[in-house]
């Protein structure tokens, strides 16, 4: 008598999530993004403080490649980062320029004389800073102010003629 094979179905088996994912028409693949709309404003403020993409990744607790993906997927995030970095760089450039050129500003000093507090207004003067001026010039005009000058001592800027030298081995048979 032939043996008939039967298949049993398990009782109370949970639905297979992989099988469900294959049958649904879901456009997203992988884990959901951690990105939130408030990240744009936070990234802008962090960039004003000088944050790099690596710093942003650490703050948002993601990998730097995720920051780059967010820049591609969320244009407002990219723009906020650009604006923050440009504004911060401009402010630093302005301060460096002021330091290089020298500047003055109004200030207040407080004194105590026989228990009485006295307030004295004055103008604080900062002379030009040579180091800041050199740094500014080296970065703004590197071809003129860099430390290493490249000078061609051989050709006066003209192309040299090429030649080939053939050396024959010594064939003295003595």
């Amino acid at each position: 008598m032939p043996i008939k094979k039967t298949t049993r179905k398990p009782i109370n088996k949970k639905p297979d999530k992989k099988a469900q994912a294959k049958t649904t028409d879901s456009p997203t693949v992988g884990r959901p993004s951690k990105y939130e709309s408030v990240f744009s404003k936070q990234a802008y403020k962090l960039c004003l403080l000088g944050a790099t993409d690596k710093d942003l990744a650490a703050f948002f607790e993601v990998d730097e490649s995720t920051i780059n993906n967010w820049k591609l997927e969320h244009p407002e995030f990219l723009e906020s980062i650009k604006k923050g970095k440009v504004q911060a760089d401009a402010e630093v450039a302005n301060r460096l320029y002021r330091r290089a050129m020298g500047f003055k500003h109004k200030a207040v000093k407080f004194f105590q004389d026989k228990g009485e507090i006295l307030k004295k207004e004055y103008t604080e003067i900062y002379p030009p800073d040579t180091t800041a001026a050199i740094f500014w010039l080296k970065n703004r005009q590197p071809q003129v102010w860099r430390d290493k000058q490249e000078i061609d001592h051989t050709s006066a800027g003209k192309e040299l003629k090429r030649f080939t030298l053939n050396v024959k081995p010594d064939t003295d048979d003595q």
Side-chain angles (χ1 to χ4, degrees):
M1 179 170 174
I3 300 174
K4 186 177 175 185
K5 290 186 179 180
T6 59
T7 56
R8 289 194 204 165
K9 293 183 180 178
I11 301 172
N12 295 331
K13 183 177 177 187
K14 293 181 182 177
D16 185 11
K17 289 184 181 181
K18 289 182 182 177
Q20 283 181 347
K22 289 178 185 176
T23 59
T24 60
D25 294 331
S26 175
T28 58
V29 177
R31 130 178 25 154
S33 176
K34 290 183 177 181
Y35 182 82
E36 297 176 21
S37 60
V38 296
F39 288 0
S40 293
K41 193 170 187 176
Q42 291 172 330
Y44 172 76
K45 290 178 180 180
L46 289 166
C47 288
L48 285 177
L49 298 172
T52 62
D53 287 359
K54 187 175 183 179
D55 298 328
L56 292 174
F59 178 80
F60 292 120
E61 298 177 346
V62 295
D63 193 66
E64 194 172 348
S65 63
T66 302
I67 297 294
N68 293 328
N69 289 338
W70 288 352
K71 287 181 195 178
L72 296 172
E73 295 166 6
H74 305 281
E76 72 283 358
F77 184 71
L78 175 62
E79 284 304 310
S80 66
I81 290 173
K82 283 182 179 179
K83 285 180 184 177
K85 288 181 177 183
V86 166
Q87 188 173 341
D89 292 348
E91 187 66 29
V92 169
N94 179 39
R95 298 290 173 98
L96 178 62
Y97 176 78
R98 290 183 64 210
R99 183 74 188 246
M101 298 302 293
F103 65 100
K104 55 186 173 181
H105 69 90
K106 297 206 181 279
V108 177
K109 203 165 219 172
F110 293 93
F111 300 94
Q112 183 175 359
D113 184 33
K114 299 177 187 171
E116 184 181 348
I117 297 176
L118 303 173
K119 176 181 169 183
K120 176 69 175 168
E121 293 183 10
Y122 69 101
T123 301
E124 181 117 22
I125 300 172
Y126 294 90
D129 184 337
T130 308
T131 305
I134 291 169
F135 184 79
W136 178 271
L137 290 170
K138 282 183 181 180
N139 284 287
R140 297 279 290 185
Q141 298 177 355
Q143 68 282 3
V144 177
W145 292 96
R146 66 177 163 214
D147 289 332
K148 181 181 175 184
Q149 297 291 327
E150 294 180 18
I151 301 170
D152 183 3
H153 293 286
T154 59
S155 65
K158 297 178 184 174
E159 188 173 330
L160 295 174
K161 293 182 183 178
R162 298 180 188 269
F163 63 93
T164 305
L165 179 61
N166 293 325
V167 180
K168 294 183 180 179
D170 190 15
T171 57
D172 277 343
D173 291 331
Q174 295 178 358

